[in-house]
Amino acid sequence: MDHTRRDALVGSALALSVATAGCLDFAAGDGPQGPEGTPATLTCEDDAFVRLGQPFEASIARTLVETDETALELSSEGTTETYGQSLRLVLRNTGDAPAPTRGELAYSLQRETGEGWLDVRGSTTGEAVELPRSEGSIDTSSAYSWDLTLTESGIADAVDDLELAVCPPLGPGTYRFVYWGLVGAPPIGAEFELVG
């Protein structure tokens, strides 16, 4: 191979890698576009959007919840999460008996607002919907785990067969994941700060 052809190939590869890096930087720079801090409420310009309600009234247990039969622990990787990255959580049965549940989808992803905690998700059909529930259990030394991509589509698409959206867009602020599917036990949650 002569030097002219080799230099042209190296130059093309370098140009391609710079162009690719530019695309990655552009995508990574989008960041959260929603309201910052603690908004008064969450408002959506889409008239067909109906926000998911809060299917629990009990106060939220932090990290550990005990029932008459067993104990469960919710863990997350951190208290600060970056937009576009994964929120990873694990709910482990650390006790001596199976824990009956309403399935893995019995969770809320909420944002702190001036009027309280509100789910960031809602129906796009103009009608209220409920998350799917199923009878299940977490056996001793077993777990439920979630890996939620912290983007609007990542959160909405985590529930199959249900038309959900996130509205308004996610913004930097305080959020919490709440698993309310434990039968006979209070909901358990983990708070985190979302940053750009």
Side-chain angles (χ1 to χ4, degrees), residues 69-157:
E69 303 292 326
T70 192
L72 296 110
E73 181 179 9
L74 179 67
S75 60
S76 61
E77 287 188 335
T79 56
T80 302
E81 302 291 344
T82 304
Y83 180 86
Q85 299 300 310
S86 290
L87 171 65
R88 294 183 178 98
L89 303 114
V90 177
L91 179 63
R92 289 183 182 83
N93 185 340
T94 58
D96 299 324
T101 73
R102 296 179 182 94
E104 288 187 58
L105 297 178
Y107 69 84
S108 297
L109 190 58
Q110 300 178 318
R111 179 155 189 198
E112 185 178 29
T113 73
E115 63 180 47
W117 292 94
L118 298 175
D119 205 304
V120 299
R121 303 167 298 171
S123 166
T124 58
T125 64
E127 297 180 3
V129 297
E130 290 187 0
L131 294 172
R133 300 178 191 195
S134 59
E135 289 186 16
S137 71
I138 304 175
D139 292 331
T140 303
S141 300
S142 294
Y144 281 169
S145 62
W146 298 270
D147 189 352
L148 304 171
T149 302
L150 292 173
T151 61
E152 291 75 13
S153 61
I155 291 169
D157 295 344

Side-chain angles (χ1 to χ4, degrees), residues 26-88:
F26 176 76
D30 284 347
Q33 303 295 311
E36 295 183 17
T38 305
T41 190
L42 297 180
T43 57
C44 184
E45 295 180 7
D46 182 355
D47 293 336
F49 184 83
V50 180
R51 192 166 306 284
L52 292 178
Q54 181 172 293
F56 57 90
E57 293 181 12
S59 60
I60 309 299
R62 301 288 174 105
T63 310
L64 183 67
V65 66
E66 294 182 354
T67 70
D68 293 338
E69 303 292 326
T70 192
L72 296 110
E73 181 179 9
L74 179 67
S75 60
S76 61
E77 287 188 335
T79 56
T80 302
E81 302 291 344
T82 304
Y83 180 86
Q85 299 300 310
S86 290
L87 171 65
R88 294 183 178 98

